[in-house]
Amino acid sequence: MEYGYFDHKAREYVITRPDTPIAWFNYIRNNRWTGMVSNTGGGVAVFDDPRFKRVLRYRYNNIPADRPGRYIYIRDQETGEYWSATWAPVLTNLKKFKYRCRVGLNYQVIESQYKSIKTSITYFVAPDDNAEIWLFSIRNAGHTPRTLRTYSYAELNVWGAMRDLMNLDNGPRCTRLSFENNCIIHSTWNDLGSSLGTMNWVRMHGFITATLPPQGWYTHREFFLGPYRSEANPIVVENGECPQYAKNGGYPLGTLIHDHNLAPGDEVELAYVIAADDSREAAEPVALKFQDLAACKAALVTVKERWEEHLSKLQCATPDPDFDIAVNVFNQYQSTMTTHLSRSISPYEWGVGRGIGFRDSSQDVMGSCHALADTVKNTLRILVKGQNPDGVATHNIFPKTGEGQDRDFYDDHLWLPMSVAHYLKETGDMAFLDELIPYRQGEGAPVYDHLKLCIDVTWQRRGQHGLPHIGHADWNDGLNPGSMESESVFDAVLFCYTAREMENLARFIGKNSDADMFKSRYDEMKRITNDVAWDGGWYRRIFYKEGGYIGGKDQPSRLGYIFLEPQPWAVMSGVAEGERGVKALDSVREHLCTEYGVALLREAFTEYDPTIGSISIVLPGIKENGSVFCHTNPWVIIAETVLGRGEMAMDYYKRIAYGTKSKIADIHGTEPYVYSQHIGLPPWYHPGRAGNPWLTGSATWSMLALSQWILGVRPVWGGLMIDPCVPKSWKKFRIDREYRAARFNIQVENSDGVEKGVREVRIDGKALPNNIIPPQESGSTHKVKVTMG
Ligand code: GLC
């Protein structure tokens, strides 16, 4: 069953009914402010650091899960009936309530109609100010005059998340509230220390105001709702009161009350504005600036224009509309959100635990290098600074404070050279390699030395077979076998990929002896991996320090006899060549492919086994214990393109594609316009049901798989390579791409219907000697004609 569809022209996903299987969210944000808005108006807002600077409240583990939110109640003053413009929280009978939600790029429109009253709310964040705006319109589409009263609802709550979690009694005893200049103002001294009680006080201020002066206001949540009530039936709304109440104390609330006398056909437009900052001086001018409806509307235009500009850097037109809406809009969108947010705050990540993950962000940025080079560079700087002098990276980093959690995951540092290489190949900013950045402790060193150290440390920390130590775990957090000296086959193939990347980089900048050293380490690790870890059909997974291994057809137990991760990476890194690569991927097909995507392992573990690690605590068929862990599926797609199997690559893509999930939204459960982290498989009680949408590595890897490996347009050291790998039925397609500030309109002809192979590339009519377009003058535009065959 479907709950909506993609509107290709508007670049929106349209949700046609509000009662989706779970709340479906969108992000509204700028560089400081991040808000989440569900399809029924629920969700939090934070700025700068989600641990310390909350603006709209997040009630963890709440029911319904998206409460509270940004609501507008409408009350018919003649009948006493009331409803909400976002369906929730009043939940009016859907037989009488019309609804539509447009999920846009950092804006969310929710439209409703109840008994001839039509409303529309557009939520978004001002592009350059620390404020969010709700553009609201209400229209009488009936034939009789109507007397209506509206109430906004926002739990304006400018204190840190830890205060709500660990010291709930304290916040409401410190909260200052007033009404001035048509603004409700909440302020409190907020402790910006990294734990409670550090007394690093900042007096935060939050404002809610509107573009029309309100007739009433209310600041106290408990009194507004009334005892034993909820957001579904606030007593103040039920009684139709219009109080003017703003007093210190209690859980703060931003309710502005407006009266509307609407003749038939009349419409009123107003905007609500929430602004917040570390001081009144910073927040107040922003709130006052947006008391002007035209300023609010202009801000929305800017949000849309910036996205237009962002997306214009990469667009395609293929025979497959689902593919196009992913590459052109929603995959870029999700990838941008993960680049900015890592795993910090989502409906499932509470913004308190882990800042940015070293391996997560190293991967996330790769999908955004083409459009967000400056952001990527800043994140890379933070990551480089997260490397310890011994070469191992800090697993999690809070970017605003620099705090980190060292947990010795020995894959972490191996992702860094890969993401720096992506950035350099895209931008040509080779000077970045010479930038001096300190280790977590100690002196500054050129970025290049940091990268070299990433290879060194893995090379030095190897076990009895010569494969890399796993440390606490590798990419798979749940495979933590106890001894740090157990060996990871995944880290071995990841090492090979990264060492080869470093070899090419070193060669490109003329460091030939380094390049030779990287090459010899690559060759040696490749030889060992093939000698030790190949079981005849696929690669094993872990060799235990105490002896024995997991992941092989001849192991005594069926539990964990095959793992996905090393198979595609063996192909991508060149470790598995020729027939061996084909065999490894055919084994993936035979043992792991399901209708919902590729499973992470088979068979799933059933009972806790300390030798295997915490993966075995997880129920079988979910998360790391044998679900479709979506992050890994694009790896298989990329590996298939390396083998030249375009049909197969597309087949795997279709199993996880947004368009596919939209058609089975009732089974899939989560938002179909973004990837989720995992999809359950039997014996999980709900096969096909996804979990943890939005902040997942699936976004970046899908972006790379679709744009750089299927469409095959990818930056390499010498320029922009054109190397498509597509289904045979794709006879013609087009890619418009910006690369180093020049634009390329690439038309690909595939009249022979091949899956891979480029016969000729012409740029502006001139044939190139190979399929690599050299960088062109900044600002220039070029027509590229590619003939496959
Ligand atoms: C989560 C983590 C990521 C890890 C993956 C597999 O997505 O954020 O770091 O690699 O799980 O365990």
Side-chain angles (χ1 to χ4, degrees):
M1 189 177 128
E2 299 177 50
Y3 289 80
Y5 59 89
F6 288 98
D7 180 335
H8 292 248
K9 199 151 169 262
R11 295 178 160 162
E12 293 168 339
Y13 187 85
V14 183
I15 306 172
T16 48
R17 45 188 295 175
D19 55 341
T20 48
I22 62 167
W24 287 359
F25 279 89
N26 190 9
Y27 280 98
I28 54 175
R29 68 178 307 285
N30 65 20
N31 284 337
R32 288 188 70 194
W33 188 290
T34 296
M36 299 181 304
V37 191
S38 78
N39 59 314
T40 62
V44 66
V46 306
F47 68 95
D48 290 349
D49 184 328
R51 280 185 302 170
F52 301 129
K53 301 184 184 176
R54 297 284 163 111
V55 185
L56 293 181
R57 190 176 223 133
Y58 199 160
R59 272 190 249 127
Y60 304 104
N61 196 11
N62 202 19
I63 298 174
D66 63 335
R67 302 266 179 93
R70 302 159 171 86
Y71 303 125
I72 299 171
Y73 299 93
I74 300 136
R75 186 175 191 277
D76 185 324
Q77 291 293 83
E78 278 152 36
T79 64
E81 248 193 317
Y82 62 93
W83 63 97
S84 31
T86 49
W87 186 57
V90 177
L91 306 181
T92 305
N93 185 338
L94 277 178
K95 292 203 177 88
K96 300 184 193 153
F97 189 88
K98 286 196 193 148
Y99 161 97
R100 193 161 58 166
C101 172
R102 296 187 156 271
V103 179
L105 302 171
N106 288 150
Y107 68 88
Q108 177 103 324
V109 186
I110 301 180
E111 295 161 349
S112 83
Q113 180 173 354
Y114 182 65
K115 293 195 174 166
S116 321
I117 299 301
K118 291 188 168 183
T119 65
S120 168
I121 311 181
T122 305
Y123 299 104
F124 65 100
V125 170
D128 302 310
D129 290 289
N130 213 33
E132 69 172 56
I133 297 170
W134 319 348
L135 275 181
F136 177 60
S137 69
I138 180 161
R139 191 163 99 82
N140 178 0
H143 303 294
T144 52
R146 302 284 291 272
T147 309
L148 304 168
R149 177 165 281 170
T150 53
Y151 300 80
S152 67
Y153 183 98
E155 293 198 26
L156 190 63
N157 165 201
V158 287
W159 60 64
M162 300 312 273
R163 202 144 163 196
D164 266 0
L165 282 171
M166 297 170 71
N167 202 3
L168 190 61
D169 180 50
N170 179 267
R173 318 295 172 221
C174 308
T175 189
R176 268 72 173 172
L177 287 149
S178 59
F179 183 82
E180 298 166 50
N181 299 326
N182 290 324
C183 302
I184 289 176
I185 309 171
H186 168 219
S187 74
T188 188
W189 281 269
N190 186 25
D191 187 349
L192 295 194
S194 55
S195 62
L196 283 177
T198 48
M199 314 282 177
N200 182 5
W201 301 114
V202 166
R203 188 168 179 186
M204 302 241 300
H205 279 73
F207 286 69
I208 176 163
T209 186
T211 54
L212 292 177
Q215 280 70 58
W217 47 91
Y218 212 97
T219 63
H220 196 116
R221 187 186 75 188
E222 266 54 38
F223 299 160
F224 181 80
L225 298 179
Y228 305 103
R229 287 166 175 262
S230 73
E231 305 97 323
N233 54 357
I235 191 75
V236 167
V237 178
E238 194 157 300
N239 291 340
E241 297 165 36
C242 187
Q244 298 185 337
Y245 178 105
K247 290 188 186 153
N248 292 336
Y251 288 111
L253 180 69
T255 287
L256 299 172
I257 307 166
H258 290 89
D259 286 330
H260 313 278
N261 294 314
L262 298 182
D266 274 3
E267 181 177 69
V268 172
E269 281 184 290
L270 77 149
Y272 298 91
V273 178
I274 302 178
D277 220 312
D278 293 346
S279 66
R280 178 166 186 155
E281 293 68 41
E284 189 164 28
V286 176
L288 299 183
K289 164 177 160 185
F290 287 113
Q291 282 178 339
D292 170 22
L293 186 62
C296 294
K297 288 186 172 178
L300 179 60
V301 171
T302 307
V303 170
K304 293 185 177 178
E305 282 171 355
R306 293 209 184 148
W307 269 105
E308 189 68 37
E309 158 73 13
H310 178 126
L311 296 179
S312 72
K313 297 183 179 188
L314 175 59
Q315 290 290 293
C316 69
T318 74
D320 184 337
D322 280 354
F323 186 96
D324 292 357
I325 195 86
V327 172
N328 296 345
V329 186
F330 280 92
N331 200 164
Q332 290 204 56
Y333 183 46
Q334 186 179 6
S335 197
T336 304
M337 293 310 112
T338 59
T339 294
H340 285 300
L341 297 169
S342 191
R343 309 290 169 274
S344 65
I345 187 155
S346 81
Y348 309 89
E349 318 271 4
W350 292 354
V352 291
R354 56 177 177 178
I356 67 172
F358 193 96
R359 78 156 80 92
D360 295 329
S361 286
S362 299
Q363 294 169 77
D364 291 339
V365 296
M366 290 193 281
S368 294
C369 290
H370 68 281
L372 291 175
D374 292 344
T375 306
V376 169
K377 188 174 183 178
N378 279 333
T379 305
L380 290 175
R381 286 189 178 118
I382 294 169
L383 295 171
V384 172
K385 214 160 52 194
Q387 187 180 37
N388 294 302
D390 67 357
V392 172
T394 299
H395 193 54
N396 293 321
I397 302 167
F398 289 97
K400 296 281 173 197
T401 63
E403 296 158 88
Q405 297 164 336
D406 293 293
R407 288 289 301 281
D408 288 317
F409 291 79
Y410 285 173
D411 68 310
D412 272 335
H413 52 273
L414 288 174
W415 300 100
L416 185 65
M418 190 188 306
S419 58
V420 172
H422 262 263
Y423 167 76
L424 297 177
K425 286 189 262 188
E426 181 74 50
T427 59
D429 176 16
M430 303 309 283
F432 183 54
L433 290 171
D434 300 326
E435 204 169 301
L436 291 183
I437 299 184
Y439 295 97
R440 258 182 92 63
Q441 308 84 17
E443 299 292 298
V447 169
Y448 179 81
D449 291 5
H450 283 268
L451 304 184
K452 201 171 156 191
L453 190 56
C454 295
I455 299 294
D456 286 345
V457 65
T458 294
W459 188 250
Q460 282 148 15
R461 297 193 187 175
R462 288 184 296 145
Q464 56 228 33
H465 297 95
L467 297 169
H469 287 163
I470 192 167
H472 180 71
D474 60 29
W475 172 88
N476 190 325
D477 285 333
L479 285 178
N480 30 46
S483 170
M484 308 260 289
E485 293 179 7
S486 291
E487 293 162 282
S488 161
V489 178
F490 177 74
D491 282 351
V493 286
L494 183 64
F495 172 89
C496 285
Y497 190 99
T498 297
R500 197 173 58 174
E501 201 71 294
M502 285 304 292
E503 181 205 338
N504 293 336
L505 164 62
R507 203 80 71 203
F508 186 69
I509 58 175
K511 290 187 186 281
N512 284 324
S513 63
D514 278 1
D516 294 343
M517 177 268 292
F518 293 130
K519 165 108 177 63
S520 77
R521 290 179 180 181
Y522 169 89
D523 289 342
E524 179 66 355
M525 189 72 84
K526 174 174 170 175
R527 184 192 62 72
I528 298 169
T529 307
N530 278 314
D531 286 355
V532 172
W534 178 253
D535 84 343
W538 56 86
Y539 289 89
R540 299 186 172 114
R541 187 64 178 83
I542 290 171
F543 287 87
Y544 296 110
K545 169 99 190 322
E546 301 76 19
Y549 62 86
I550 189 149
K553 56 183 171 191
D554 44 3
Q555 69 180 33
S557 163
R558 290 286 288 168
L559 303 183
Y561 75 90
I562 181 166
F563 284 81
L564 173 65
E565 304 97 312
Q567 321 311 332
W569 278 95
V571 174
M572 287 153 71
S573 61
V575 167
E577 285 180 297
E579 277 310 299
R580 184 163 287 194
V582 171
K583 181 95 185 124
L585 291 194
D586 285 351
S587 297
V588 167
R589 185 82 183 174
E590 186 185 336
H591 295 272
L592 297 173
C593 182
T594 79
E595 63 179 304
Y596 299 117
V598 188
L600 192 58
L601 64 90
R602 282 256 160 82
E603 300 292 332
F605 303 98
T606 48
E607 292 297 336
Y608 178 53
D609 177 350
T611 323
I612 309 289
S614 60
I615 193 173
S616 56
I617 302 174
V618 178
L619 284 162
I622 201 69
K623 291 200 53 107
E624 281 94 339
N625 195 10
S627 72
V628 173
F629 208 92
C630 300
H631 188 143
T632 60
N633 277 230
W635 296 346
V636 182
I637 299 174
I638 295 172
E640 287 290 355
T641 67
V642 172
L643 296 187
R645 304 200 292 196
E647 295 283 345
M648 203 72 114
M650 187 53 63
D651 173 279
Y652 283 120
Y653 165 62
K654 283 293 186 182
R655 284 166 203 268
I656 55 160
Y658 303 144
T660 307
K661 301 307 181 191
S662 181
K663 294 195 184 79
I664 54 161
D666 51 339
I667 298 173
H668 187 67
T670 56
E671 297 86 327
Y673 42 85
V674 289
Y675 294 110
S676 288
Q677 184 203 60
H678 60 263
I679 300 171
L681 290 176
W684 180 246
Y685 72 96
H686 199 152
R689 174 58 60 120
N692 203 343
W694 275 106
L695 302 184
T696 149
S698 326
T700 201
W701 283 107
S702 169
M703 202 54 224
L704 296 173
L706 305 189
S707 64
Q708 301 202 354
W709 295 91
I710 292 181
L711 295 174
V713 179
R714 63 179 175 273
V716 293
W717 292 110
L720 193 62
M721 179 182 264
I722 316 285
D723 181 29
C725 182
V726 296
K728 292 178 190 145
S729 59
W730 283 23
K731 297 280 159 55
K732 223 183 217 183
F733 51 98
R734 178 190 168 95
I735 303 113
D736 295 317
R737 175 101 151 60
E738 192 174 293
Y739 169 66
R740 304 202 187 168
R743 296 193 74 89
F744 299 90
N745 303 324
I746 305 164
Q747 186 68 52
V748 185
E749 302 284 341
N750 182 24
S751 44
D752 292 353
V754 299
E755 290 173 270
K756 192 163 175 157
V758 167
R759 203 184 301 145
E760 187 185 65
V761 178
R762 283 182 175 270
I763 174 163
D764 302 323
K766 279 220 303 274
L768 288 177
N770 54 26
N771 61 344
I772 298 175
I773 305 173
Q776 303 289 316
E777 201 182 317
S778 159
S780 59
T781 301
H782 305 273
K783 277 199 178 349
V784 179
K785 200 161 175 297
V786 180
T787 313
M788 291 181 71

